[in-house]
Amino acid sequence: MSFTRIQGILHAEQCNLEQVAKQFGTPLYVYSKAAFEKHYLDLHQAFEFIDHQICYAVKSNSNLAVLKVLAKLGAGFDIVTGGELARVLAAGGDPSKIVFSGLGKSEADIQKALEVGIACFNVESYAELDRIEQVASRLNKIAPISLRVNPDVDANTHPYISTGLKENKFGIPSDTVLETYQYANTLPHLKITGIDCHIGSQLTETQPFVDALDRVIAMIEQLKALGITLEHIDLGGGLGVVYQDEVPPTAKEYADSLKPTLEKLGLKVYLEPGRCISANAGVLLTHVDLLKPTNHRNFVIVDAAMNDLIRPSLYQAWMDIQTVSPNDADVKTWDIVGAICETGDFLGKERELALTPNSTLAVFGAGAYGFVMSSNYNTRGRAAEVMVSDDQAYLIRERETIESLWEKEHFLPEE
Ligand SMILES: *Cc1c(COP(=O)(O)O)cnc(C)c1O
């Protein structure tokens, strides 16, 4: 495994995280190259039974070094902005393996994607079909498209990361899918190549995926009857990971639950996994700054905060927190909080930990939706990122300097 204890001290591969924290400072994101590779290859191998393309969801962790590691394994990419497209290209990703998701693609982004020749646009509305048609017509190109359909299944996950219910803003509602495809079919610069769904994130059961697939297949059959045939089906991302005591399906269990249906269908399969590749490939290291025991609760103020890692504040996400090295202090119940002026600024509550004023803590599962969601709130520079490979640790993003935070700001002219 990628994060293990050697003589009690937490390591990432063969790198002692106490030393890594000392060398690069904290707060610090540390990723394991081997973990990224393993998570990708596990999924790739699980779907070996069928022609498939894994398109890593860039939004979950978009560092160039991460993208390059995955591109080298043959990964495609699921992007949601022109910014992510540019990142993938900068990291050497193959444009013909890119799918472009998201419900509000700009004209400029569509143009760029057409110019580099991406695999497919996942379209979410009539208005977007019109916009892509216009841009493609202007460039005299044909845009490959699929419709992101909303199968109306409950993913049983946190409401903020559930996307496949009809009250969510995502996808084409199932009762208008056929007419939207028929409309797309009339637009001369669009080529319908597939169908797409993504029902939510951090799913810990296979049943919602199976239900969604069944509903999408019913749509595919109705489309066939209308003379619209497809080349691929995109099942989105959403496979869950272990943060606490969840028991999500393994890559193999996930693939096996879909296998009989997919084999019968015979279309090329696209997948858009993010979290299950990146989450447990990273930890956030943070230093204890101050201990503040009170008669009601014990607070430990650490040098990471909600601006570095917002998942606990935003989704009430539980993330495991451990000391990097053992120590002799008494175990107490601690709330691990940042120094930001918000009550919602915490990394974990009521954790049994032995802490000293010098402890380094590791927050697990921080490789996905960690650094990418960080901000400069309270004029805090964003953390550095390091990737380890075996016994080497490489800086893959420098810590932001304070001065750089107002580099783009301007005074009014003097009166
Ligand atoms: C966020 C997202 C993903 C990735 O979701 P994970 O839960 O990280 O696997 C895939 N596809 C789309 C369209 C998304 O919005």
Side-chain angles (χ1 to χ4, degrees):
M1 280 306 291
S2 313
F3 295 93
T4 52
R5 290 193 181 269
I6 302 176
Q7 287 163 354
I9 300 175
L10 190 65
H11 283 60
E13 302 189 25
Q14 297 303 311
C15 292
N16 176 321
L17 287 179
E18 213 59 78
Q19 285 167 9
V20 172
K22 197 170 285 170
Q23 185 182 349
F24 298 98
T26 54
L28 183 72
Y29 279 94
V30 182
Y31 310 125
S32 155
K33 176 171 182 255
F36 273 103
E37 291 173 335
K38 178 178 191 309
H39 299 159
Y40 174 83
L41 290 173
D42 280 352
L43 203 55
H44 183 49
Q45 278 149 18
F47 279 89
E48 239 165 16
F49 65 88
I50 201 157
D51 182 18
H52 70 276
Q53 178 63 55
I54 296 176
C55 295
Y56 167 71
V58 174
K59 74 175 197 271
S60 74
N61 185 326
S62 61
N63 186 287
L64 292 184
V66 168
L67 302 182
K68 186 155 195 169
V69 165
L70 295 171
K72 277 194 177 157
L73 296 177
F77 297 93
D78 171 41
I79 59 166
V80 292
T81 60
E84 289 187 350
L85 174 59
R87 269 187 184 275
V88 169
L89 299 176
D94 179 349
S96 73
K97 294 180 183 172
I98 292 176
V99 295
F100 196 163
S101 301
L103 72 175
K105 305 168 190 75
S106 74
E107 279 184 33
D109 291 352
I110 293 165
Q111 173 164 345
K112 182 75 190 164
L114 280 170
E115 284 166 354
V116 301
I118 66 163
C120 193
F121 292 89
N122 293 338
V123 182
E124 303 215 8
S125 63
Y126 273 85
E128 210 187 358
L129 284 173
D130 287 336
R131 183 178 282 178
I132 297 173
E133 166 65 23
Q134 264 172 25
V135 179
S137 155
R138 179 155 48 74
L139 299 177
N140 200 20
K141 288 194 185 279
I142 302 292
I145 62 122
S146 91
L147 293 188
R148 174 171 176 182
V149 301
N150 185 330
D152 195 22
V153 297
D154 189 348
N156 273 328
T157 186
H158 189 280
Y160 282 13
I161 51 177
S162 180
T163 57
L165 285 170
K166 57 176 178 286
E167 61 262 35
N168 297 134
K169 68 179 177 181
F170 297 103
I172 312 267
S174 44
D175 52 1
T176 48
V177 165
L178 296 183
E179 60 193 68
T180 315
Y181 265 104
Q182 284 178 299
Y183 177 66
N185 212 15
T186 66
L187 299 176
H189 296 86
L190 302 186
K191 177 174 194 284
I192 297 170
T193 61
I195 191 163
D196 162 49
C197 74
H198 170 74
I199 56 173
S201 200
Q202 183 55 11
L203 274 70
T204 53
E205 309 159 88
T206 52
Q207 199 56 45
F209 291 116
V210 172
D211 293 347
L213 177 57
D214 287 345
R215 292 188 189 188
V216 172
I217 284 183
M219 295 173 194
I220 294 174
E221 273 156 14
Q222 290 170 309
L223 286 171
K224 207 183 281 173
L226 294 170
I228 297 173
T229 54
L230 307 179
E231 295 162 20
H232 77 258
I233 179 170
D234 182 337
L235 300 174
L239 184 58
V241 300
V242 179
Y243 289 108
Q244 187 171 13
D245 51 9
E246 302 89 343
V247 190
T250 62
K252 178 93 170 51
E253 287 163 350
Y254 168 63
D256 285 351
S257 72
L258 306 171
K259 184 174 173 182
T261 317
L262 289 176
E263 276 181 328
K264 213 179 321 151
L265 183 67
L267 298 182
K268 178 166 181 173
V269 175
Y270 280 80
L271 302 167
E272 303 170 349
R275 189 187 309 269
C276 70
I277 291 179
S278 50
N280 285 319
V283 296
L284 172 64
L285 299 183
T286 180
H287 241 98
V288 168
D289 197 16
L290 295 166
L291 299 178
K292 183 179 173 183
T294 74
N295 289 336
H296 307 285
R297 280 178 105 92
N298 298 317
F299 297 101
V300 50
I301 299 144
V302 297
D303 64 4
M306 66 186 287
N307 75 298
D308 299 301
L309 181 63
I310 203 175
R311 296 188 65 256
S313 307
L314 184 61
Y315 312 117
Q316 293 90 43
W318 191 97
M319 302 177 75
D320 193 18
I321 302 175
Q322 297 178 18
T323 53
V324 171
S325 311
N327 65 64
D328 302 334
D330 290 339
V331 172
K332 287 190 191 159
T333 305
W334 295 97
D335 283 3
I336 296 100
V337 303
I340 284 181
C341 303
E342 298 279 343
T343 303
D345 175 28
F346 63 92
L347 298 178
K349 289 186 176 171
E350 299 187 16
R351 305 301 176 87
E352 304 287 316
L353 288 167
L355 294 182
T356 71
N358 298 316
S359 297
T360 312
L361 299 176
V363 185
F364 287 80
Y369 307 107
F371 180 86
V372 286
M373 294 180 96
S374 65
S375 77
N376 294 124
Y377 189 39
N378 279 205
T379 305
R380 292 167 54 98
R382 279 179 292 177
E385 293 175 287
V386 162
M387 186 180 284
V388 307
S389 177
D390 198 22
D391 60 356
Q392 299 291 313
Y394 303 96
L395 185 64
I396 59 171
R397 192 179 201 277
E398 294 166 29
R399 185 174 304 285
E400 284 180 346
T401 62
I402 295 300
E403 298 72 36
S404 75
L405 301 185
W406 57 79
E407 222 166 51
K408 301 198 188 319
E409 299 177 18
H410 303 284
F411 293 108
L412 295 183
E414 298 289 340
E415 305 254 311

